[in-house]
Amino acid sequence: MALNLRWIGECVQFATGQLLVGANRWSSSGKKLLVALALALPLLLVGVSLRGRPSYALTAFGDLTQFFLLATATVFFAWKGISTLGTPRAFWLLVTLGFAMWSINMFLWVYHEVWLNRPVPSVPIGEFLLFIKVVPLLAALALQPDKESADRSRLLGLFDLTSLLVCWTYVFLFWAMAYLLVGNDLARYNRHSDIVDEVGNQVFLFILAVVAVRSHGRWRGFYLHFLGATATYDFASILINRAIGSGRYYTGSLYDVPFTAALAWFCVTAITYGGSSQSEQAQVSEQPKSGSRPGGRVVLWSARLAMLATLSTPVIGLWLVTSGATEDPVRHFRILLTLFTMLILTILLLLKQDLLNLKLAGYLRDASLAYSNLRRSEDQLVQNEKLASLGKLVSRVAHEINKAMAAVGKDVEELSAQPTADENRQKMTAKIGESARRTNTLVENMLSFAQEMPLHRTSVDVRPLLESAVNLTRAGRRHSVRVEIAQHGAVPMVEGDANQLIQVFLHIISNAIDAMEGNEEGLLTISTRVEQEHVEIGFVDTGSGLKEPRRVFEPFYTTKPVGRGVGLGLSTCYGIIRQHGGEIECQNRPEGGAVFRLVLPAAAAASVEIAS
């Protein structure tokens, strides 16, 4: 049957032009039309091949049809890769790479049979691309985008893909190209290239079947359709290779019908399937990580395949050395090829090992930091529980002492009111009253630590409080001590009791000055900044540091000489800050000195700008 080439060319040109507009612009009806065209082309080829004979028109129709279907699938796979993110993007782009290699091979057929109107020669580059296309497809399957896998460096995956490409190239050069490059035996080259191509297709088909069985949701539908199209393609390839070997094949014959049907199947799958929906992705994220059973281990198939391919080259090299004729040029070429391949794979393995060592060192640093934070949090929790228990005890003791001091104060007032009391009695009464007042101050500190002193909350600007605390201490009269106040950015006000906060600042500053007493020149740096809706106040001194940082907030713990402190200052500060809903912590600096860090909740007020 004579075919109208002009009509065929116009149809293909129209369909290709519509395709290049962009897969994202396709409406639902446009995709349905394209699917209908893809399904109709194999049926049309059946009718044409049954009624026609080998001719240029039949060859052009067959080649252009197959190239159009492959190009369409490639474009839609590429668009899925561009429009998605994460692992699915890498999956679709690898599939696109495989189909692009296949499309280049098909373009060579169109170039020779349609453009040049000549039989297709045995083109090694085209057959190599047809064989090597399996590698990016295997790498895509190894990603398993339907499963929430553990995070893995893409650079490691690139090393695995490169190793597979090297090994797959080695197999093609070893079993097929060796006869063409060294032996100049075209017949053996064609036969062996067909064999390695069939083996590669069967390996890919087997792995694809395993992945399809283990998948779920819309991904299972995609894998099953991809599996069906691949199985049809494998059957058609074997059929066509047998027909070419017997001299019965020509483009557009019935042997091309299952091959074109497989390409149409790939095309329809690329158009209609886009992976899992958002709801299914949410279900996947709730499942155990790495796409395995709970408690199962992660299996990185691409790494396993690359490792298997790397280990196989020394075995093949050993077999070559111990077998075959010494003067065989093919054997000599294969030995050199094996050594060169082993060198490349060893270099890739060393680079991958270096990358793994760097990542392992980073993981160890992160684990060490996390462990240190955990220990610090654990110590802080123990400290909080200890101080909470002490706070309850201190509260009860303080209330009892307060009752006793109230009675003592009343008796002192009665004794002071007696006019007949002699001078010694009056002095003794004054001493008792002074001791009672000191005891009351001690009780107030104890109650502050126990968080039972009432707060008079207002919006407080911490900068003036810090400046007042510095002026009230001995810092201004000590030439050997320098105090700097630094404000980083706009600092908001805090909601708190100004009197109690300045008491905290006074005590921390006084302790820092005492710690720097023996230094020729001391520096106390006070800084304020905003940290996630909190105001952080830091006190950094260059003194002797803290002897036991974990115990400084315990009641009655002091390192000062007898008579200079009872050990309730910092514990009182702790109680005041916790009563404000904040945190206080301290530690020693590696270069010497101590660091006190206060964190207070910011008030819902305007930020205080940096003073000019």
Side-chain angles (χ1 to χ4, degrees):
M1 182 185 70
L3 294 176
N4 191 333
L5 282 179
R6 185 176 181 180
W7 176 79
I8 295 175
E10 290 177 355
C11 289
V12 173
Q13 183 179 5
F14 170 76
T16 306
Q18 290 296 319
L19 177 64
L20 294 178
V21 171
N24 60 326
R25 298 179 181 271
W26 281 87
S27 62
S28 178
S29 58
K31 288 184 178 181
K32 290 179 180 178
L33 180 62
L34 195 56
V35 169
L37 177 61
L39 295 176
L41 287 176
L43 299 177
L44 184 59
L45 180 61
V46 172
V48 171
S49 59
L50 286 175
R51 301 183 60 182
R53 295 181 179 181
S55 63
Y56 175 77
L58 183 60
T59 299
F61 178 77
D63 285 342
L64 291 174
T65 296
Q66 294 167 6
F67 177 72
F68 168 75
L69 293 173
L70 267 179
T72 303
T74 304
V75 170
F76 273 91
F77 282 138
W79 177 250
K80 294 178 193 298
I82 295 173
S83 59
T84 54
L85 297 173
T87 303
R89 164 174 284 185
F91 173 84
W92 294 120
L93 291 180
L94 285 172
V95 173
T96 302
L97 179 60
F99 272 76
M101 294 178 178
W102 196 356
S103 299
I104 293 174
N105 171 264
M106 196 65 240
F107 175 78
L108 293 176
W109 280 72
V110 173
Y111 174 74
H112 285 93
E113 291 193 330
V114 178
W115 183 261
L116 299 180
N117 194 15
R118 298 175 184 175
V120 179
S122 184
V123 184
I125 184 63
E127 294 173 355
F128 171 72
L129 290 175
L130 188 64
F131 172 72
I132 208 71
K133 74 179 188 302
V134 176
V135 174
L137 296 178
L138 284 174
L141 294 181
L143 292 176
Q144 294 181 294
D146 57 315
K147 296 179 174 60
E148 186 70 20
S149 58
D151 182 29
R152 188 166 184 259
S153 172
R154 293 185 179 181
L155 191 54
L156 289 176
L158 181 61
F159 276 114
D160 295 336
L161 178 60
T162 305
S163 299
L164 286 176
L165 283 172
V166 171
C167 291
W168 222 252
T169 304
Y170 165 74
V171 169
F172 184 78
L173 294 174
F174 186 95
W175 293 107
M177 284 295 294
Y179 295 104
L180 190 62
L181 295 176
V182 181
N184 198 22
D185 190 342
L186 183 60
R188 295 184 70 181
Y189 162 75
N190 288 331
R191 185 165 62 252
H192 282 77
S193 64
D194 291 342
I195 292 173
V196 295
D197 186 59
E198 290 178 8
V199 171
N201 291 334
Q202 296 303 318
V203 170
F204 175 72
L205 183 64
F206 172 76
I207 296 177
L208 178 58
V210 174
V211 173
V213 171
R214 299 179 62 183
S215 60
H216 50 80
R218 285 181 57 84
W219 281 105
R220 168 169 287 185
F222 168 77
Y223 284 134
L224 289 177
H225 278 278
F226 208 83
L227 178 64
T230 303
T232 306
Y233 163 71
D234 289 351
F235 169 74
S237 296
I238 296 173
L239 197 64
I240 291 175
N241 288 334
R242 299 296 184 271
I244 292 175
S246 61
R248 293 175 294 167
Y249 174 79
Y250 59 90
T251 303
S253 63
L254 286 174
Y255 293 104
D256 275 349
V257 172
F259 180 72
T260 306
L263 298 184
W265 202 341
F266 281 124
C267 182
V268 172
T269 304
I271 296 172
T272 56
Y273 280 88
S276 58
S277 61
Q278 293 182 354
S279 60
E280 290 173 344
Q281 287 286 359
Q283 294 176 1
V284 168
S285 62
E286 296 176 358
Q287 294 179 357
K289 299 286 183 183
S290 73
S292 57
R293 301 184 306 272
R297 59 196 183 103
V298 178
V299 178
L300 302 172
W301 292 106
S302 59
R304 293 293 178 85
L305 289 174
M307 179 171 44
L308 179 63
T310 303
L311 293 176
S312 64
T313 51
V315 176
I316 296 175
L318 182 63
W319 171 72
L320 287 172
V321 172
T322 58
S323 64
T326 307
E327 302 299 329
D328 185 5
V330 175
R331 174 176 174 270
H332 183 68
F333 172 79
R334 286 175 170 175
I335 291 176
L336 294 178
L337 176 66
T338 303
L339 291 175
F340 183 71
T341 303
M342 290 173 60
L343 175 63
I344 295 178
L345 291 176
T346 302
I347 294 174
L348 290 173
L349 184 61
L350 290 176
L351 292 176
K352 181 180 177 181
Q353 187 62 43
D354 287 341
L355 179 62
L356 287 172
N357 290 337
L358 291 175
K359 290 181 68 65
L360 180 60
Y363 291 149
L364 288 177
R365 286 193 299 269
D366 294 342
S368 178
L369 180 61
Y371 180 74
S372 300
N373 293 335
L374 181 62
R375 288 295 302 271
R376 186 160 52 250
S377 300
E378 182 181 359
D379 293 342
Q380 186 67 31
L381 181 61
V382 172
Q383 180 80 351
N384 291 344
E385 292 178 353
K386 184 189 299 185
L387 292 177
S389 300
L390 287 173
K392 294 179 181 178
L393 176 62
V394 167
S395 177
R396 290 196 295 266
V397 173
H399 281 298
E400 295 299 326
I401 296 176
N402 202 21
K403 291 180 182 178
M405 288 300 102
V408 171
K410 187 179 295 184
D411 294 340
V412 168
E413 290 179 359
E414 292 179 357
L415 289 174
S416 299
Q418 295 180 4
T420 59
D422 56 18
E423 184 179 354
N424 292 332
R425 177 180 290 185
Q426 290 289 347
K427 291 181 179 180
M428 185 65 64
T429 302
K431 290 182 179 180
I432 294 174
E434 180 64 24
S435 298
R437 284 190 294 272
R438 291 178 58 189
T439 304
N440 285 333
T441 302
L442 177 63
V443 170
E444 290 180 358
N445 291 335
M446 295 170 66
L447 290 175
S448 295
F449 166 76
Q451 302 183 19
E452 293 197 6
M453 291 294 291
L455 290 179
H456 303 285
R457 295 180 181 271
T458 56
S459 293
V460 180
D461 183 5
V462 295
R463 178 65 181 261
L465 292 184
L466 291 170
E467 294 174 348
S468 299
V470 171
N471 293 329
L472 290 173
T473 59
R474 300 189 306 274
R477 298 184 297 272
R478 292 282 298 275
H479 299 290
S480 61
V481 176
R482 183 162 49 94
V483 181
E484 295 181 355
I485 301 178
Q487 181 172 311
H488 302 280
V491 178
M493 295 186 178
V494 299
E495 195 78 19
D497 189 323
N499 293 328
Q500 295 199 24
L501 288 178
I502 199 172
Q503 178 184 348
V504 173
F505 300 156
L506 279 169
H507 194 85
I508 295 177
I509 295 172
S510 298
N511 283 352
I513 294 174
D514 292 341
M516 295 184 290
E517 187 173 355
N519 296 0
E520 294 182 0
E521 183 177 355
L523 173 63
L524 172 62
T525 303
I526 305 174
S527 60
T528 58
R529 59 171 52 86
V530 180
E531 290 289 341
Q532 297 181 352
E533 299 182 357
H534 287 75
V535 176
E536 178 182 319
I537 308 169
F539 298 83
V540 181
D541 64 62
T542 59
S544 57
L546 304 168
K547 291 185 178 180
E548 295 178 283
R550 298 183 181 181
R551 297 189 58 193
V552 295
F553 297 118
E554 293 181 5
F556 308 109
Y557 170 79
T558 181
T559 57
K560 295 180 179 181
V562 177
R564 293 191 59 183
V566 295
L568 280 175
L570 287 177
S571 61
T572 301
C573 295
Y574 176 88
I576 292 174
I577 296 301
R578 292 303 300 268
Q579 195 173 5
H580 279 76
E583 297 179 0
I584 180 173
E585 59 183 25
C586 64
Q587 61 184 9
N588 284 325
R589 302 170 63 210
E591 59 269 32
V595 177
F596 278 82
R597 176 175 172 269
L598 280 63
V599 179
L600 295 169
S607 298
V608 179
E609 300 294 337
I610 300 177
S612 57

